[in-house]
Amino acid sequence: MTTVSNALAGSANAWVLGAFAAYLVVLIGIGVWASRFMDSVGDYVIGGRDVGPVVTGFSERASEMSGWLTLGVPGDAYTTGIMAFYNGVGMIPADLAAWAGLAKRLRKYSEIVRAVTLPTFFATRLNDDTGVVKAVSSFVLIVFEGSYVGAQIVAAGTLLRVLTGVDMWVGIVAGGVIVVGYTMLGGYFAVAWSDYFQGAIILAAFAILPIIAYTTWGLPFADLAAMDNGASLTSITGGATGWAALFGIISYAAVGLGIPGNPHIMVRFMGIDRVRNVRTAAVVAQLFMFVAYIGAALVGLYALTQFGGLENTDNAMPLVTLELLPSAVAGVVLAAALAAMMSSADSQLLVATSAVVEDVYHGFLNEQATEAQLVRYSRYVTLAIGFASIGFAYVARNTPIYELVLNYAWGGLGAALGPLLIAVLWWRRVTAAGAVASMVTGTATMILWTQWPTILGPETVNSVHPAVSGMLTVYGLFPAFVVSAVVLVVVSLLTTPPDQDDVSEAFDMMHRPLAAITDDDSDGSEYATDGGRPDPAPITEHDSIRSHVADTDYWTDDD
């Protein structure tokens, strides 16, 4: 093992920085190119539902894999050892279940009710005329997605500090400006296509880097076992036993519960071009996830076995990269880390923007706003939320990325919106009152659970029965999701449901091709198509968007 100084700042040379700069130029080019397609808020928010399956699959994974994957998971492996592989064990089945059980229904139903954002979708599905469902869900999105953007900016600042030696606040501001700039410029088209480009880099980085590490150092597991705390580092329970081991595994598995509640992932389901392409996109996403999670954990293990003295574990991935690879190649690999951060931040920023503009401004303040006004205000709001997120990032700059994402962004969204999204797609009886109670309860429980050691004191938490201590220290998304789901069911059963004829009709439509729905309708004006028919008539705004996109040769599809 080589002891390495924590003073990594400024360790990148001209070749590394050159590759980094080239990446930024390409990224800006994508934003400039995509800005040509921003004619409506539907374009800006979901790309007019005209993004293909491969791009969607890459984009769905890249939007989630963020600095949490590229810096956080290697940092987690550096701290906990082989237990870090549980990150993939928790996420892969949950993501596959979301593609299998939610994607097609959400894609169809959101177009049937003509919704381009989740708050509008929730309110329409639940027939909520009071605006409470839309207001509460919009508030949840703005707060937690804004925090999510801040977490990615912290990760970007960390990497920029390693590369250039600038102060952390300079890296945070620079990373924030990059994210805000090209999201404001290009909207969803820029996000989806930059995610495709960035996703390819991430996939290559985490596939290649562990292979090079293996050819240089061999497998890391024997070195792990030889370390002072090797027994815990090579244990599938982290050396814990009994209740502590059980709740430790539950904490990792519970990470996957956040998928249905994170709108920057769900919007990929809403934005795919055709329902039948969901399966292809799902396969792309799962292959991406399998390689990336295993690779990220291995990188952290190699950093742990080969280098010592890292106070900031978020530096594990950059350290291994700079140590193993030639400068120019290292620049590309580190650009992949930055790519993941930007992929998540732009997606989350776009979702928060849509909550303000489409759900609050358009839904409550100015229902007659034109598409041009909405796109213009979307850019203004993107700028405002982006700068607020930069402020949050500065305040939270010393918090580990892994903790920052899971506790203050991913978990809050998963607990507040996850049970509700599943329910509105699968349960006819869910009510607006149940939805509001679930969102409020999930948010409050998630926030409370992260604060138990502070509220009760570490001594109190450690002195109670191991089962109680394990529950108090388990990852908060697990209890918050359960409590949110229970409250949703109980309150919905105690309150008046939406008109069941309307709900039954909509549920029946989710089992039929959207093209068939319009064929059954004599004037073809009540429902939208998914673009699956040959030469579909532009009968809705989204179909008109699709025609516009086709005319620009943005997307070529021979089907």
Side-chain angles (χ1 to χ4, degrees), residues 47-61:
R49 304 186 197 272
D50 206 55
V51 180
V54 176
V55 175
T56 297
F58 268 85
S59 181
E60 188 260 351
R61 283 297 85 221

Side-chain angles (χ1 to χ4, degrees), residues 497-518:
D499 185 287
Q500 290 301 289
D501 290 336
D502 292 342
V503 174
S504 296
E505 182 182 10
F507 266 65
D508 176 64
M509 291 170 189
M510 284 193 290
H511 294 285
R512 302 165 59 196
L514 285 172
I517 295 171
T518 57

Side-chain angles (χ1 to χ4, degrees), residues 146-167:
S147 299
Y148 218 141
V149 175
Q152 307 314 319
I153 293 174
V154 171
T158 299
L159 183 58
L160 290 173
R161 184 175 63 85
V162 171
L163 288 171
T164 66
V166 299
D167 291 339

Side-chain angles (χ1 to χ4, degrees), residues 328-369:
V329 180
V332 174
V333 172
L334 291 177
L338 182 67
M341 300 162 202
M342 300 310 180
S343 295
S344 279
D346 58 26
S347 303
Q348 292 139 8
L349 183 55
L350 192 60
V351 168
T353 294
S354 68
V356 175
V357 175
E358 180 66 16
D359 300 314
V360 177
Y361 176 74
H362 195 196
F364 292 107
L365 303 179
N366 185 5
E367 294 183 0
Q368 305 305 316

